[in-house]
């Protein structure tokens, strides 16, 4: 049967690979191509690339870097960042990516989800939802790389994008991002239980046990890893790596 | 799915020369043919029929007997027809294409890595381990009429034919171009067919 997908989620700022903490402060990781070669060798399940500042810096996706990635990577690839229309989505899919991730563009123009889905299938559209805990409890949805708080309710928004034709959801906790403190299990679970499309839990993974919890308690279908796969340990240097397969299997069985 | 770009990328990587063509005349010189399949079943069949590809494809596959590999929807096109559409398929392999039922908690599409196990030995599967992992994305599956045409099977709520073969004609439901080294091995096997 299907195994849970464990997806390195790599953050780009144009050509550079970076890793953020709570969406703002970031460290430079290195060259994306060298990094993907390592993940290729490790035969990871899938790779996700997010150009985290493309929208706020008003840049279009860097197609040159994406082509170089697709030339090297023989695994499922997804990309998000600065995709505003179906034309751009088509371009990226034709390079050799299978999934387009949209976030701010979906909030500004929800019809875009269906537009991409109609052309390339629902499975090619991932809607990314950035969530942050409110001081008064509950969660809010943020757009534009976490800089703008919207009025959307995360669970309602998740249901709406599913209805609009999204094939998958990427749920990122802004509070947990880069902290190694584990996923925001509450929001992952609330959304997973409200929709029937796969939910990818993102933001906060620090141990293999966090991955297990996201699946068992959070009911996530897939798990994204950020800091864990680019740093040696919390507070330590860059080391592109992937959790031990045996340990993962033990956790997920 | 059905990503021409990815298939071409992998063929280039293993050193197999390939051309993407929308021109049936160009197909006449092909030594091998890959049908990746883009869009829906009817859309794809319509394009094959209307573009003049059908005649050349039939001649290449059935008379000249060049190796043909259908990938994902491309494999489903090799069957008699699909529950996804009304237009008959190429019918080169006696099989039907059926919709997955989304009951008993199974998500449709079947998306992700799954295990394939051999059902009939085939040159396409040479050097693949007994249990190999491949990447799938599909809502319809193929059921062969004659078990000898099934070369790999996969379990997703039920056992389905994840790779099929009849003579020079092959189909795989998964995406070798997205399945790391085993996918590369499979495409290399196809490229090496005589």
């Amino acid at each position: 049967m299907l195994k849970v997908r464990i997806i390195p989620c790599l953050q780009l700022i144009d050509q550079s690979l970076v890793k953020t903490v709570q969406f703002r402060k970031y460290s430079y990781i290195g060259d994306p191509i060298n990094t993907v070669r390592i993940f290729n060798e490790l035969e990871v399940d899938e790779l996700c690339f997010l150009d985290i500042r493309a929208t706020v810096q008003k840049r279009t996706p860097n197609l040159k870097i994406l082509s170089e990635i697709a030339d090297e990577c023989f695994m499922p690839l997804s990309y998000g960042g600065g995709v505003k229309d179906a034309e751009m989505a088509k371009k990226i899919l034709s390079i050799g990516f299978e999934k387009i991730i949209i976030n701010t563009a979906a909030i500004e123009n929800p019809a875009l989800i269906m537009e991409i889905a109609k052309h390339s299938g629902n499975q090619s559209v991932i809607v990314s939802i950035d969530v942050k805990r409110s001081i008064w409890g509950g969660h809010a949805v943020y757009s534009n790389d976490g800089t703008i708080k919207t009025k959307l309710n995360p669970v309602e928004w998740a249901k709406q994008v599913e209805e609009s034709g999204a094939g998958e959801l990427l749920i990122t906790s802004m509070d947990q991002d880069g902290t190694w403190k584990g996923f925001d299990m509450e929001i992952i679970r609330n959304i997973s239980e409200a929709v029937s499309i796969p939910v990818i839990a993102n933001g906060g993974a620090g141990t293999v046990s966090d991955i297990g919890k996201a699946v068992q308690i959070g009911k996530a279908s897939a798990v994204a890893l950020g800091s864990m796969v680019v740093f040696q340990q919390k507070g330590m240097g860059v080391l592109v790596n992937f959790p031990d397969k045996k340990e993962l299997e033990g956790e997920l069985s | 799915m059905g990503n021409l770009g990815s298939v071409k990328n992998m063929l280039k990587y293993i050193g197999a020369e390939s051309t993407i063509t929308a021109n049936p005349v160009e197909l006449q010189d092909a030594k091998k043919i890959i049908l990746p399949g883009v869009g829906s079943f009817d859309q794809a069949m319509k394009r094959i029929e209307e573009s003049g590809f059908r005649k050349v494809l039939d001649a290449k596959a059935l008379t000249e007997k060049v190796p043909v590999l259908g990938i994902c929807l491309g494999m489903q096109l090799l069957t008699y027809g699909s529950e996804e559409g009304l237009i008959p398929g190429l019918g080169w392999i006696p099989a039907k294409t059926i919709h997955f039922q989304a009951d008993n908690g199974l998500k449709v599409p079947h998306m992700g890595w799954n295990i394939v196990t051999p059902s009939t030995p085939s040159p396409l599967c040479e050097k693949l381990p007994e249990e190999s992992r491949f990447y799938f994305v599909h809502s319809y599956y193929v059921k062969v009429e004659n078990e000898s045409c099934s070369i790999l099977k996969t379990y997703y709520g039920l056992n389905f034919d994840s790779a099929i073969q009849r003579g020079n004609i092959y189909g795989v439901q998964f995406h070798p171009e997205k399945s790391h080294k085993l996918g590369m091995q499979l495409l290399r096997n196809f490229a090496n067919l005589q």
Side-chain angles (χ1 to χ4, degrees):
Chain A
M1 286 292 283
L2 286 181
K3 295 181 176 158
V4 175
R5 290 170 292 144
I6 316 276
I7 309 169
C9 181
L10 304 174
Q11 300 177 328
L12 298 166
I13 296 182
D14 200 18
Q15 321 206 9
S16 304
L17 201 61
V18 300
K19 181 64 199 96
T20 53
V21 176
Q22 296 180 320
F23 275 46
R24 300 271 66 88
K25 191 180 80 180
Y26 65 82
S27 317
Y28 178 71
I29 302 297
D31 170 61
I33 305 301
N34 285 332
T35 308
V36 300
R37 281 195 188 126
I38 299 172
F39 286 123
N40 230 359
E41 275 310 302
L42 293 167
E43 302 210 22
V44 300
D45 295 337
E46 190 166 330
L47 281 180
C48 165
F49 295 88
L50 297 173
D51 188 333
I52 52 174
R53 304 281 198 257
T55 295
V56 286
Q57 294 176 350
K58 300 194 167 29
R59 280 186 285 107
T60 53
N62 185 327
L63 297 176
K64 193 176 153 272
I65 284 281
L66 298 185
S67 303
E68 283 175 40
I69 291 170
D71 281 348
E72 298 271 345
C73 283
F74 302 113
M75 67 182 107
L77 301 172
S78 57
Y79 171 81
V83 180
K84 294 260 166 253
D85 52 55
E87 271 318 300
M88 182 53 78
K90 271 188 223 172
K91 260 190 209 157
I92 296 167
L93 292 169
S94 72
I95 285 175
F97 278 67
E98 12 298 309
K99 301 172 190 179
I100 299 298
I101 305 170
I102 51 175
N103 184 331
T104 304
I107 294 171
E108 288 170 355
N109 172 23
L112 177 61
I113 302 169
M114 187 45 85
E115 241 183 285
I116 303 173
K118 268 216 169 120
H119 176 263
S120 316
N122 305 78
Q123 81 289 339
S124 66
V125 195
I126 301 179
V127 173
S128 154
I129 305 179
D130 293 335
V131 293
K132 193 176 174 181
R133 278 181 192 277
S134 311
I135 319 164
W136 313 112
H139 289 82
V141 174
Y142 282 70
S143 73
N144 293 270
D145 190 28
T147 57
I148 296 175
K149 185 178 178 180
T150 72
K151 291 199 167 72
L152 297 166
N153 169 289
V155 174
E156 292 311 314
W157 176 232
K159 287 202 271 191
Q160 195 189 325
V161 303
E162 176 181 33
E163 256 171 60
S164 308
E168 246 177 299
L169 297 175
L170 174 68
I171 308 299
T172 307
S173 159
M174 295 173 59
D175 308 292
Q176 304 303 105
D177 171 53
T179 64
W180 300 71
K181 287 180 181 161
F183 294 98
D184 182 332
M185 226 56 90
E186 184 192 339
I187 194 66
I188 300 291
R189 184 176 181 129
N190 288 348
I191 292 177
S192 295
E193 285 182 338
V195 298
S196 58
I197 50 178
V199 167
I200 309 168
N202 188 26
T207 62
V208 169
S209 141
D210 290 335
I211 300 171
K213 281 185 205 150
V215 176
Q216 285 133 17
I217 303 170
K219 308 283 175 205
S221 323
V223 177
L225 305 180
S227 306
M228 251 181 104
V229 294
V230 293
F231 294 119
Q232 232 171 318
Q233 269 179 45
K234 189 174 182 183
M236 291 179 74
V238 169
L239 175 72
V240 177
N241 75 101
F242 196 74
D244 180 64
K245 283 203 171 143
K246 285 242 161 63
E247 211 183 320
L248 274 175
E249 276 166 21
E251 192 62 42
L252 293 168
S253 63
Chain B
M1 286 280 281
N3 210 321
L4 293 165
S6 314
V7 175
K8 196 170 168 60
N9 284 348
M10 190 179 260
L11 289 171
K12 192 172 118 198
Y13 196 89
I14 61 171
E17 204 190 312
S18 67
T19 315
I20 296 175
T21 182
N23 178 0
V25 180
E26 234 180 326
L27 195 64
Q28 273 164 353
D29 300 326
K31 294 196 178 66
K32 292 195 176 82
I33 297 169
I34 293 180
L35 274 180
V38 181
S40 67
F41 194 91
D42 278 1
Q43 257 178 1
M45 278 314 299
K46 227 167 147 179
R47 220 171 300 163
I48 288 174
E49 302 283 359
E50 286 170 2
S51 59
F53 265 106
R54 180 66 195 256
K55 219 176 112 192
V56 189
L57 277 175
D58 276 339
K60 296 294 285 187
L62 306 177
T63 317
E64 220 179 297
K65 295 198 184 299
V66 303
V68 177
L69 175 65
I71 297 176
C72 198
L73 175 64
M75 162 184 179
Q76 299 173 357
L77 297 177
L78 305 174
T79 67
Y80 289 136
S82 171
E83 289 183 358
E84 188 188 6
L86 301 168
I87 303 178
L90 293 165
W92 293 344
I93 297 184
K96 282 183 297 201
T97 304
I98 301 162
H99 194 245
F100 273 119
Q101 295 307 317
D103 50 7
N104 52 51
L106 284 186
K107 298 206 171 187
V108 177
H110 169 219
M111 181 177 68
W113 293 86
N114 208 341
I115 301 291
V116 307
T117 47
S119 34
T120 311
S122 162
L124 190 67
C125 307
E126 243 170 66
K127 293 185 192 155
L128 292 184
E130 209 28 44
E131 283 201 340
S132 306
R133 199 176 82 122
F134 284 94
Y135 185 74
F136 290 81
V137 185
H138 60 127
S139 301
Y140 297 82
Y141 65 92
V142 168
K143 187 170 173 36
V144 295
E145 283 183 359
N146 184 336
E147 278 304 313
S148 67
C149 291
S150 166
I151 57 177
L152 294 172
K153 285 201 188 283
T154 296
Y155 183 77
Y156 189 64
L158 47 83
N159 267 312
F160 68 92
D161 298 306
S162 44
I164 56 176
Q165 181 195 350
R166 191 189 187 196
N168 58 312
I169 298 163
Y170 301 81
V172 292
Q173 184 58 67
F174 46 81
H175 290 272
E177 76 280 12
K178 287 286 161 184
S179 300
H180 289 299
K181 288 169 193 143
L182 295 182
M184 220 174 267
Q185 182 61 48
L186 187 136
L187 279 190
R188 202 176 279 132
N189 290 343
F190 180 72
N192 289 342
L193 288 173
Q194 292 304 315

